[in-house]
Amino acid sequence: MSAKVRVRFAPSPTGGLHLGGVRTALFNYLFARQNGGDFILRVEDTDQTRFVEGAEAYILDCLNWCGIAPDEGPHAGGEYGPYRQSERKALYRQYAEQLVEQGNAYYAFDTPEELEQKRTESPNFQYGHTHRNELRNSVFLPVKEVQELLEAGTPHVIRIKMPVEETIGFTDMIRGRVNFETSTVDDKVLLKADGMPTYHLAVVVDDYLMKITHAFRGEEWLPSAPVHLLLWEYLGWKNEMPQWAHLPLILKPDGHGKLSKRDGDRLGFPVYAMNWTDPKNGDLTQGFRELGFLPEAFVNLLALLGWNNGTDQEIFTLDELVEQFSIDRISKAGAQFDFEKAKWFNHEWIKQTSATDLEPLVIPVLRAHDIFAENHSQLKKIIDLVKDRCTLLTDFYEHSSYFFQKPAESTIDWPSIQPKWNAAKTDFFIAFIQKTQEIESWEAAAIEATFKTLIAEKGIKIGEVMLPFRIILVGGKFGPAVFDIAEVLDNQEVVERIEFALSILGR
RNA sequence: GGCCCGUUCGUCUAGGGGUUAGGACGUUAGAUUUUCAUUCUAGAAACAGGGGUUCGAUUCCCCUACGGGCUACCA
């Protein structure tokens, strides 16, 4: 009864990994870790027409980036493999045949075109008890004819035979009791004509074979639960059925409906965890990672989309989530995704991450703009100086580029200093250049003291030269404390920037 | 259309038979920052509607409305 907890994340390798997918994986991971269980990755690639090259490796990369790598899967092996359903193809047929023998399923020879025809004729057409006695299947056709069709190798599927007038239900860990009338559900295909199982058969067989104890999946699966329920029962595995939790959907930020990749494109935010390039047309879709999100922040914001710990705490580390996660605090209603809030999470995480931890992530951001910061202690100082103003990792470029590159003449905010410029100011800065040579220890406090002493000597107001000084150093009205900037820039660089400005202002 | 799930500020949510219905994002206003951002303080902002049950419902029940999901040989 107290079997080891085993959960699985079972994506289809059909493209980029969506926010909702990562959240499902995350909840699986949290639950497994919390209970000392196993977290399995199972690749549901039963639809050959939708298979996309590279998607599986990409999914794994995403999980690794998030820090929620599975224990078992095609990448890591395990006792319950193979972990790709395409490689398990041979396994499924016997179960489908068993169901046919038991009378819980049947062969159907109708072609997709025939069914399409039916559906256009009557919009509410369902392949179920109301129609199955008029279609080409082993329920309706004489035994002999069925045999002939089978022997002739006629393409066919196996469909579940939904019972009439039965109420079937289960207790969802999030929603409580959910009941269905079996007559309202159609006879789902279990085994396709190509011999591959559909999701319905595969999920039940594999969850059983892989000894899954708890199954997390999106709410969109709730309507097909009765099919799965029946399968567990017909296959004789009812007592081993996992407990289910149907997670609330992640919705579009505007209007309503499930969040999709298109919404991200339309509204200007990522939906995939990492960059994804469609191998068919080469289209690149930007991911959270490349946009400048920290994995800790990404995981944090996903966890809070539909879950909270009942307090005001919003910032959680993965370890804290593992410790505090609980299914009964998952909300029932769908959550609209809010990119502004997502950015807030990232900002918080950047602020609380040390310069040492940030450095390896900032280096590539700068390198993308041909800035090669080789002085590590200087770079860390810069990171500490500007990280409070960076919402995304990529913001480090615009907030620190002036440390590495002299502001270009064309970008300097001359209008803010030129109109009030005068000989006294020129005189002051020339004198300041001299004074900087006497500063023994080039630190913000010493620079400031020298600056202020000189102001007193020259009898000018500090307000008249502070802003010009800043603009001379960084090019505009922005940035951290000006003497901190001067310290990081170093003596010679400060002098050069002042001399350059004077050469323009003195004209 | 049918079936299923859901409904507290614009958004994410806490709460729960009697509360000034709390927090966060965003927003507004002030303060600090001799720059900008950060930060701080304050403000506006919600229980979908109707019936019950009850001394009392936002909270429990029912109905309606609205929203969402599913209704493929896709997952």
Side-chain angles (χ1 to χ4, degrees):
Chain A
M1 205 57 222
S2 58
K4 186 179 193 190
V5 166
R6 285 174 60 78
V7 299
R8 83 304 196 262
F9 175 51
S12 277
T14 55
L17 184 58
H18 184 272
L19 276 179
V22 182
R23 191 192 57 176
T24 303
L26 174 64
F27 284 7
N28 271 289
Y29 173 89
L30 296 177
F31 189 75
R33 284 294 157 275
Q34 183 175 70
N35 295 287
D38 300 323
F39 174 40
I40 294 124
L41 174 65
R42 185 172 70 217
V43 178
E44 309 229 334
D45 55 351
T46 54
D47 186 355
Q48 295 157 335
T49 63
R50 294 211 311 158
F51 179 81
V52 174
E53 195 63 44
E56 180 188 313
Y58 168 89
I59 288 168
L60 205 54
D61 285 346
C62 289
L63 299 182
N64 279 324
W65 176 63
C66 292
I68 57 174
D71 307 306
E72 286 173 34
H75 62 298
E79 303 171 44
Y80 300 88
Y83 293 91
R84 286 185 195 97
Q85 290 182 330
S86 60
E87 294 170 10
R88 303 169 66 81
K89 181 176 174 183
L91 262 160
Y92 305 105
R93 171 148 232 132
Q94 57 175 304
Y95 297 107
E97 298 285 359
Q98 179 192 333
L99 292 169
V100 174
E101 274 168 43
Q102 291 172 189
N104 299 125
Y106 58 87
Y107 301 111
F109 302 95
D110 320 87
T111 64
E113 294 72 31
E114 285 166 358
L115 295 176
E116 188 50 42
Q117 177 69 20
K118 287 277 180 194
R119 276 187 269 267
T120 40
E121 278 167 18
S122 49
N124 290 329
F125 172 82
Q126 274 206 325
Y127 206 127
H129 69 281
T130 47
H131 290 283
R132 71 177 159 239
N133 288 334
E134 53 198 59
L135 292 154
R136 302 177 56 226
N137 56 53
S138 62
V139 174
F140 175 63
L141 265 21
V143 178
K144 192 162 174 259
E145 190 177 340
V146 171
Q147 221 152 28
E148 283 166 7
L149 283 167
L150 252 21
E151 278 160 19
T154 314
H156 63 277
V157 300
I158 293 179
R159 286 178 182 272
I160 186 172
K161 188 177 175 187
M162 291 301 287
V164 186
E165 315 258 307
E166 243 181 63
T167 300
I168 188 164
F170 74 103
T171 303
D172 187 272
M173 291 187 282
I174 295 172
R175 286 153 217 287
R177 190 76 194 169
V178 184
N179 291 316
F180 305 86
E181 287 303 319
T182 53
S183 343
T184 63
V185 183
D186 57 343
D187 293 348
K188 294 286 181 211
V189 170
L190 265 19
L191 200 74
K192 300 186 251 187
D194 65 2
M196 279 286 194
T198 59
Y199 171 82
H200 306 297
L201 212 217
V203 73
V204 172
V205 169
D206 287 343
D207 279 354
Y208 169 73
L209 261 18
M210 295 183 179
K211 294 192 166 25
I212 300 304
T213 58
H214 302 262
F216 296 82
R217 57 172 22 167
E219 191 189 345
E220 71 266 29
W221 289 110
L222 207 40
S224 57
V227 177
H228 310 323
L229 245 15
L230 251 17
L231 253 19
W232 280 94
E233 186 182 319
Y234 294 158
L235 260 5
W237 305 330
K238 209 176 172 183
N239 294 331
E240 278 107 316
M241 192 174 81
Q243 284 192 266
W244 285 333
H246 288 87
L247 304 174
L249 264 14
I250 298 178
L251 277 9
K252 300 177 195 293
D254 59 343
H256 282 287
K258 262 202 290 189
L259 181 68
S260 73
K261 171 185 139 12
R262 285 186 103 66
D263 299 309
D265 298 343
R266 182 171 55 88
L267 272 10
F269 60 82
V271 167
Y272 292 159
M274 311 187 322
N275 273 9
W276 166 252
T277 304
D278 188 329
K280 287 194 203 87
N281 53 23
D283 284 356
L284 174 75
T285 307
Q286 195 177 38
F288 278 87
R289 181 176 74 172
E290 288 76 6
L291 217 217
F293 274 75
L294 290 168
E296 292 87 347
F298 186 56
V299 161
N300 192 161
L301 74 92
L302 249 24
L304 273 278
L305 222 42
W307 177 86
N308 69 83
N309 77 345
T311 73
D312 290 344
Q313 183 179 357
E314 294 199 271
I315 302 299
F316 293 87
T317 63
L318 229 206
D319 287 343
E320 286 175 317
L321 291 171
V322 167
E323 191 184 322
Q324 300 187 32
F325 180 72
S326 64
I327 295 171
D328 54 16
R329 293 206 61 89
I330 296 176
S331 18
K332 296 182 177 71
Q336 281 185 236
F337 179 67
D338 180 359
F339 189 52
E340 290 305 318
K341 182 100 186 203
K343 286 194 289 190
W344 175 81
F345 275 107
N346 204 56
H347 191 192
E348 292 300 308
W349 270 97
I350 286 180
K351 283 191 289 182
Q352 73 164 55
T353 301
S354 70
T356 305
D357 290 343
L358 249 15
E359 192 194 14
L361 301 170
V362 171
I363 286 172
V365 167
L366 297 179
R367 195 160 39 208
H369 292 93
D370 290 325
I371 292 173
F372 302 93
E374 271 139 23
N375 182 335
H376 292 269
S377 71
Q378 186 204 33
L379 179 55
K380 280 186 208 171
K381 268 192 203 174
I382 292 170
I383 290 172
D384 272 327
L385 241 28
V386 304
K387 69 177 186 178
D388 281 6
R389 49 230 303 151
C390 295
T391 298
L392 300 167
L393 249 15
T394 43
D395 292 340
F396 273 98
Y397 167 65
E398 63 159 302
H399 287 299
S400 65
S401 63
Y402 54 83
F403 286 106
F404 306 98
Q405 301 168 331
K406 288 181 168 62
E409 182 183 343
S410 60
T411 62
I412 294 177
D413 183 11
W414 300 111
S416 291
I417 40 178
Q418 203 135 34
K420 291 181 182 173
W421 195 260
N422 56 34
K425 291 184 184 178
T426 301
D427 178 53
F428 169 82
F429 280 104
I430 289 171
F432 181 63
I433 289 173
Q434 296 295 321
K435 290 283 184 190
T436 60
Q437 305 312 308
E438 296 163 20
I439 297 175
E440 283 174 27
S441 169
W442 187 257
E443 284 166 5
I447 303 164
E448 182 170 0
T450 303
F451 193 88
K452 286 185 174 168
T453 305
L454 190 59
I455 281 169
E457 281 174 24
K458 296 284 179 186
I460 50 178
K461 287 185 202 143
I462 189 163
E464 290 183 54
V465 283
M466 279 297 278
L467 188 62
F469 189 33
R470 163 177 299 282
I471 292 174
I472 285 166
L473 293 187
V474 311
K477 289 187 265 189
F478 55 82
V482 70
F483 296 108
D484 287 333
I485 295 172
E487 174 185 320
V488 172
L489 246 21
D490 219 324
N491 195 339
Q492 191 189 338
E493 183 65 24
V494 168
V495 169
E496 284 174 19
R497 292 189 187 190
I498 294 173
E499 283 174 343
F500 174 71
L502 291 179
S503 76
I504 307 271
L505 290 161
R507 284 206 284 249

